[in-house]
Amino acid sequence: MTRTDVSLTDGAGAAAGILRGGPRRRRVRMSGDRGVPLPLLVPALIGLAFLVVPLIALLVRTPWRSLPEQLTSAEVWQALELSLICATAATAVSVVIGVPLAWLLARVDFPGRGLVRALVTLPLVLPPVVGGVALLMALGRNGIVGTYLDSWFGVTLPFTTAGVVVAEAFVAMPFLVISVEGTLRAADPRYEEAAATLGASRFTAFRRVTLPLIAPGIAAGAVLAWARALGEFGATITFAGNFPGRTQTMPLAVYLALQNDPEAAIALSLVLLAVSIAVLAGLRDRWMTSG
């Protein structure tokens, strides 16, 4: 038998194998259509239950009959209004100073960029209470910056509404920076280069070309930052305190109500849960699709 005959025989054997479904069976096994292995299915279901059951329990234990009365009380609306105002202000601060920071990390190559990026993302993993203590050491009346704010401008941030905004922006801005930086890295820089060849300055190219390109990333980051600011607790209570009408946001109101009126705490928690679901629904095209 010649080499050509051997090749033809091998090719015929491979074709027969395909017709018999050999490679197809291997592809089916890899795609998982024959079922999920039990050692993977059991922990997956346990993990799902671990995340879902507490939310179901919150809905089951909600005092639906007294819910309208709970949610229409003056204290709830006061805390909700303060939370919305402070979260929106913190998001605005994050956008104003966070978008340029994200552009710097994505577009400018400078020594120590990796360290700067690590410091920017540190509040994501830093315990919020530690963040509140750090803000006190920096912006308190005896802080390294707060001393000059108090003596030169008469500005005192701790235990004020402005302090709530500062604490929420501190923990929320990294979400926006990471989102915008990722969008900037995915955007084609040749558009900015083309604008520069046409005589546009770097800032003009950023304002007229880059910003429209990354607008969806900014919107997604802003929504995430707003949701994180709305749910902030540790840094807020440490840096701004818990004073009704001045620094008591919804999470602080939930914590206080849990000690005296558990039904009110459940009602307030339900409001925050609804806000979180609305945020997820608004970001479903970005975070909840697998394509």
Side-chain angles (χ1 to χ4, degrees):
M1 182 180 293
T2 63
R3 183 176 299 177
T4 303
D5 295 334
V6 172
S7 300
L8 291 175
T9 303
D10 292 341
I18 294 175
L19 292 176
R20 287 195 302 268
R24 185 182 303 170
R25 286 196 299 269
R26 181 159 55 249
R27 185 169 63 250
V28 170
R29 285 197 297 268
M30 293 178 63
S31 64
D33 291 339
R34 297 186 63 177
V36 182
L38 189 62
L40 295 179
L41 179 62
V42 173
L45 293 178
I46 293 175
L48 179 63
F50 176 72
L51 296 175
V52 173
V53 169
L55 302 179
I56 296 176
L58 180 63
L59 296 175
V60 170
R61 291 299 182 91
T62 298
W64 296 104
R65 292 184 178 179
S66 61
L67 187 62
E69 180 182 355
Q70 297 283 356
L71 296 180
T72 54
S73 64
E75 294 81 6
V76 171
W77 282 104
Q78 194 176 52
L80 180 59
E81 180 183 9
L82 183 64
S83 296
L84 295 177
I85 292 174
C86 291
T88 304
T91 304
V93 171
S94 300
V95 170
V96 170
I97 63 180
V99 172
L101 178 57
W103 178 87
L104 185 69
L105 293 175
R107 288 287 191 263
V108 181
D109 189 10
F110 58 90
R113 184 171 64 172
L115 177 61
V116 173
R117 183 180 291 109
L119 293 175
V120 168
T121 57
L122 186 60
L124 292 176
V125 296
L126 191 70
V129 175
V130 177
V133 173
L135 288 173
L136 278 175
M137 297 300 102
L139 301 176
R141 287 187 176 181
N142 297 322
I144 58 176
V145 178
T147 299
Y148 302 103
L149 290 177
D150 187 25
S151 59
W152 292 356
F153 307 103
V155 174
T156 303
L157 292 176
F159 309 109
T160 63
T161 304
V164 176
V165 176
V166 170
E168 292 180 351
F170 178 78
V171 300
M173 192 173 70
F175 288 89
L176 181 133
V177 173
I178 291 175
S179 178
V180 176
E181 183 188 359
T183 306
L184 279 167
R185 290 185 178 277
D188 194 342
R190 290 179 295 179
Y191 293 106
E192 301 174 27
E193 296 171 0
T197 60
L198 295 175
S201 65
R202 200 162 190 180
F203 178 72
T204 301
F206 171 78
R207 181 170 56 87
R208 301 292 296 273
V209 177
T210 308
L211 274 182
L213 286 175
I214 65 173
I218 295 177
V223 172
L224 287 175
W226 185 83
R228 179 64 183 89
L230 187 69
E232 167 52 32
F233 176 81
T236 302
I237 197 171
T238 306
F239 183 67
N242 186 16
F243 301 101
R246 189 170 65 180
T247 65
Q248 187 181 88
T249 57
M250 285 289 285
L252 302 184
V254 171
Y255 176 75
L256 185 64
L258 189 61
Q259 303 176 13
N260 304 319
D261 189 357
E263 290 190 354
I266 294 174
L268 294 173
S269 300
L270 192 64
V271 174
L272 294 178
L273 177 62
V275 172
S276 301
I277 294 175
V279 170
L280 283 179
L283 293 175
R284 64 185 182 276
D285 293 333
R286 185 175 181 88
W287 301 108
M288 299 179 65
T289 58
S290 58

